[in-house]
Amino acid sequence: MNSAIVTASYRGDFERCRLLCESIDAHVRGHSRHILLVEPRDVAMFRALEGPKREVVDERELFPWWLRSVPDPTSFGRRRIWASLKGPPLRGWHAQQLRRIEIGRRLPEAVMISVDSDVVFLRPFDTGRFVEADGRVRLFRRPDWFAGIAEPSRSEHRGWSKKAGELLGIKTPKVSDHGYISTLIAWRTESVRAMAERIEAVTGKPAFDALAATRQLSECTIYGRFVEEIEGLDRHHVASPEALCSVYWSGAALDAETLSRFVDALEPQQVAIGIQSFTGTSTDLIRRAAGLG
């Protein structure tokens, strides 16, 4: 089954995204192309990362005319918001999720592999690993994962899950604690299209309009609940709790020693690390840890 890698990014993550691209070129095989999704003002910058199997897509090719990024007046223009005629203004992470869903609906490839821009591959990886011999796609799923997470993260997740249920017309249970969120995951594109059709049937609106009308948005949770509770988990997917990427979600910046220990602790199935950009960990340190210079 052919696959495309998709990364939603922005100028603040440019150097990390460059590092991701270098690590994909060095270690990843099996995909037809790597697509970078960015807002209009970042297109020229990210063109520098294009190559034979990598292309930049302007979000204007995916978004309707009524959703556009503008400077955030509350931050004196340092940050961006997405002004909408159909809902509240959205933040960058909302826009990135909408890009991923929308590109997933349009890809001709059978599988979309979503990779965050602060991920770096450290080991050889073939994207075919996401597909079983019978054609079913691996779905990242950790049962009841969020039931044991501390507040406020647990309530935030449950808000996302509740909204996913409303968009999909799931009356019971209203909330699921299963975890579908990770930084290196695969979606079946036919399932993304079926998910959008379900949202349209439930809400009576175009799927994009319904999704852009809320700030309680987790694209992984919507997709996971659709696959499990509407489509039927085992029909086209195989659930797995194993994360292929080890993520440092929060905390102090890692130095060379702590980063080395983090890499050394990778589990056998893990092929990448994700060091969240807001931790302030040096990109140069990550580059050296990845053996990329």
Side-chain angles (χ1 to χ4, degrees), residues 275-292:
I275 310 297
Q276 294 290 297
S277 56
F278 49 74
T279 66
T281 301
S282 164
T283 305
D284 289 338
L285 283 181
I286 300 171
R287 179 181 296 278
R288 288 197 289 273
L292 294 171

Side-chain angles (χ1 to χ4, degrees), residues 10-281:
Y10 77 112
R11 63 177 52 203
D13 267 1
F14 178 76
E15 288 303 325
R16 289 175 183 268
C17 191
R18 185 201 298 275
L19 184 54
L20 165 66
C21 294
E22 291 177 12
S23 74
I24 289 175
D25 294 344
H27 296 300
V28 181
R29 299 294 180 268
H31 59 292
S32 62
R33 54 184 171 151
H34 180 202
I35 302 170
L36 304 176
L37 309 174
V38 298
E39 68 168 294
R41 69 169 188 154
D42 293 346
V43 169
M45 174 185 289
F46 278 81
R47 292 279 188 216
L49 304 180
E50 288 189 322
K53 292 182 68 172
R54 181 168 297 110
E55 61 194 78
V56 173
V57 171
D58 186 330
E59 71 177 24
R60 287 175 295 187
E61 298 179 35
L62 305 173
F63 287 5
W65 64 270
W66 47 262
L67 182 66
R68 288 290 182 262
S69 63
V70 297
D72 180 0
T74 66
S75 69
F76 301 101
R78 291 191 301 272
R79 294 190 298 269
R80 309 285 283 180
I81 59 171
W82 273 252
S84 170
L85 296 179
K86 307 234 177 147
L90 304 177
R91 295 292 181 188
W93 67 281
H94 298 115
Q96 290 192 10
Q97 293 184 72
L98 291 171
R99 290 178 208 155
R100 284 190 285 262
I101 292 173
E102 198 60 24
I103 196 73
R105 298 174 65 183
R106 303 185 187 199
L107 286 178
E109 288 86 355
V111 178
M112 181 182 99
I113 298 169
S114 180
V115 184
D116 284 6
S117 61
D118 46 20
V119 167
V120 180
F121 286 87
L122 305 184
R123 295 172 176 171
F125 180 67
D126 192 304
T127 58
R129 188 166 161 187
F130 277 114
V131 183
E132 299 294 307
D134 62 4
R136 290 185 296 167
V137 175
R138 171 183 171 141
L139 173 73
F140 177 72
R141 176 185 180 273
R142 286 186 168 168
D144 298 319
W145 177 250
F146 282 94
I149 299 296
E151 297 290 0
S153 294
R154 181 169 57 190
S155 292
E156 184 176 40
H157 166 79
R158 287 179 169 167
W160 295 336
S161 185
K162 182 174 182 289
K163 176 55 68 172
E166 291 171 359
L167 289 167
L168 295 168
I170 301 171
K171 299 188 183 303
T172 305
K174 289 188 175 181
V175 171
S176 167
D177 276 327
H178 299 337
Y180 305 103
I181 302 170
S182 192
T183 56
L184 172 57
I185 59 171
W187 286 359
R188 179 178 172 270
T189 55
E190 284 293 341
S191 294
V192 180
R193 287 185 276 274
M195 178 186 79
E197 290 173 2
R198 173 73 179 193
I199 292 171
E200 291 175 353
V202 169
T203 65
K205 302 176 182 178
F208 192 97
D209 295 36
L211 291 163
T214 178
R215 299 179 74 169
Q216 280 194 311
L217 191 63
S218 166
E219 86 281 29
C220 295
T221 303
I222 299 169
Y223 183 83
R225 292 202 70 181
F226 172 78
V227 164
E228 181 159 7
E229 299 172 65
I230 303 297
E231 189 174 61
L233 181 58
D234 296 329
R235 185 180 177 195
H236 299 297
H237 295 78
V238 174
S240 172
E242 290 186 335
L244 298 180
C245 179
S246 179
V247 184
Y248 183 63
W249 290 106
S250 61
L254 299 177
D255 58 21
E257 181 180 353
T258 53
L259 180 57
S260 178
R261 289 202 300 267
F262 185 82
V263 171
D264 289 343
L266 283 176
E267 297 174 5
Q269 83 280 359
Q270 292 178 324
V271 297
I273 58 173
I275 310 297
Q276 294 290 297
S277 56
F278 49 74
T279 66
T281 301

